[in-house]
Amino acid sequence: MPAEIIDGKAIAQEIRESLPARVAKVEEKLGFPPGLGVMLVGDDPASATYVGMKEKACAKAGIHSRQVTLGAQVTPEEVFGHIDDLNNDERIHGILIQQPLPPQIDTEAVCAATSPEKDVDGFHPHNLGELLRAGTAPFIACTPRGVIELLERTDTPIKGAKAVVLGRSNIVGKPAALLLLARHATLTICHSRTEDLPAVCREADILVAAVGRPKMVKGDWVKPGATVIDVGTNRLDDGTLCGDVDFDDVAEVAGKLTPSPGGVGPMTIAMLLVNTVESAERRAGLA
Ligand code: NDP
């Protein structure tokens, strides 16, 4: 029987529609709305598109956004100067620094320089450490948080389930794995050196694919009835986008499946807005 398709767009929309009322309460308390500082460095067209989408989403939710646009040749001193400025701006509750950054800018140092109290990306060592230590943190990275929201809002049992996370990056794979572990999944993390990947994936009740390899996960990698969350967003030569999962093949086997695009992507933006509003609520003493 074909899988139930998890509609990330619709779930993200539902979350976004709940935000203006919360934004209004923050504005009432502080005298100004939640604010997101967005830094775009360099001339990567995909980054500019993502930033544009995020700013549009902010505007729709009533969140103020302040963009800092810097050229590809910018010096580290200038970048850190702008981060300081955003850290000290009381109207800014979240700071997003769009990656990738040009090679002269140390991405890890940039993550560490962002105030952990405005770290809506969840990449600051403090927030990553809290996630490791406590299974939660004031800020959880938007994409992994979106993955968990999709599972929880579709009533997918996590406790006791066998979860396999394909990918171990600091921004997706590892935090997604820690969030599943904190919810009592029995966890396996796979990567490029994992042997017999299909066999490991076939064990999963929940399979999260975050590898960046177009359509890598096939139907015969999936346990019948499993829930498959496709984080992958890959641009093919013809310009179209596809996930890490071979959607048509896996839809014949899985119980539930996210499309890509239209699954985790919209959730990532929704979670960025939620993280920003939550940060402002904490500042306003509302949370
Ligand atoms: P990274 O390149 O940082 O990490 C990829 C991970 O996949 C690594 O751990 C790597 O292993 C592993 N991997 C790569 N190739 C293979 C393979 N053939 N077999 C097994 N494991 C493999 O990617 P990200 O985590 O940043 O992103 C992953 C995907 O998610 C991408 O498609 C990206 O575009 C997408 N993405 C989507 C977002 C959204 O909002 N929808 C947001 C962020 C990312 P190793 O560690 O051994 O190198």
Side-chain angles (χ1 to χ4, degrees):
M1 200 174 69
E4 176 193 327
I5 305 307
I6 299 176
D7 187 347
K9 253 191 196 164
I11 296 173
Q13 185 58 25
E14 202 178 296
I15 294 169
R16 285 168 59 166
E17 280 167 6
S18 72
L19 294 177
R22 293 170 66 180
V23 166
K25 280 193 184 147
V26 169
E27 192 161 4
E28 199 182 300
K29 195 81 194 282
L30 294 179
F32 48 84
L36 178 70
V38 181
M39 190 184 281
L40 175 63
V41 189
D43 40 24
D44 175 29
S47 290
T49 304
Y50 289 138
V51 162
M53 284 162 67
K54 289 167 184 174
E55 289 191 322
K56 219 164 125 190
C58 278
K60 275 194 177 160
I63 297 171
H64 156 72
S65 66
R66 173 182 158 193
Q67 189 173 334
V68 178
T69 310
L70 303 169
Q73 308 306 325
V74 68
T75 63
E77 291 71 24
E78 282 175 90
V79 168
F80 288 110
H82 283 287
I83 294 174
D84 265 355
D85 195 26
L86 290 169
N87 282 343
N88 294 321
D89 183 343
E90 66 159 359
R91 289 179 182 245
I92 293 298
H93 305 98
I95 301 173
L96 166 89
I97 299 167
Q98 186 65 42
Q99 294 187 20
L101 293 166
Q104 76 276 19
I105 310 296
D106 179 343
T107 302
E108 295 286 326
V110 161
C111 292
T114 307
S115 164
E117 287 168 11
K118 299 189 178 186
D119 175 37
V120 283
D121 265 336
F123 297 162
H124 189 283
H126 173 80
N127 286 309
L128 283 170
E130 275 303 284
L131 183 58
L132 178 68
R133 187 190 68 79
T136 187
F139 293 102
I140 293 167
C142 303
T143 301
R145 188 172 178 186
V147 168
I148 295 297
E149 285 283 337
L150 286 176
L151 292 171
E152 292 184 338
R153 284 172 184 259
T154 53
D155 296 323
T156 307
I158 301 177
K159 186 174 164 183
K162 282 189 186 159
V164 172
V165 177
L166 253 174
R168 59 174 166 180
S169 73
N170 286 334
I171 63 172
V172 188
K174 278 185 210 162
L178 289 170
L179 291 168
L180 287 162
L181 189 62
R183 285 160 182 74
H184 311 295
T186 299
L187 184 72
T188 305
I189 305 176
C190 300
H191 44 77
S192 62
R193 269 69 148 202
T194 300
E195 284 183 15
D196 199 355
L197 212 46
V200 179
C201 292
R202 264 195 303 275
E203 293 281 307
D205 301 307
I206 297 170
L207 178 60
V208 178
V211 274
R213 302 272 179 256
K215 302 187 186 185
M216 187 174 91
V217 176
K218 303 293 178 195
D220 61 3
W221 292 34
V222 174
K223 184 198 236 184
T227 298
V228 180
I229 306 290
D230 187 358
V231 180
T233 309
N234 307 290
R235 193 167 288 283
L236 301 176
D237 290 342
D238 64 4
T240 58
L241 292 174
C242 78
D244 291 341
V245 171
D246 187 332
F247 183 85
D248 292 336
D249 202 24
V250 170
E252 293 301 318
V253 187
K256 286 186 258 183
L257 170 63
T258 62
S260 177
V264 174
M267 291 299 289
T268 298
I269 294 186
M271 291 302 113
L272 172 70
L273 304 180
V274 171
N275 277 350
T276 305
V277 172
E278 283 178 357
S279 175
E281 286 173 338
R282 286 197 286 269
R283 189 63 62 88
L286 294 167

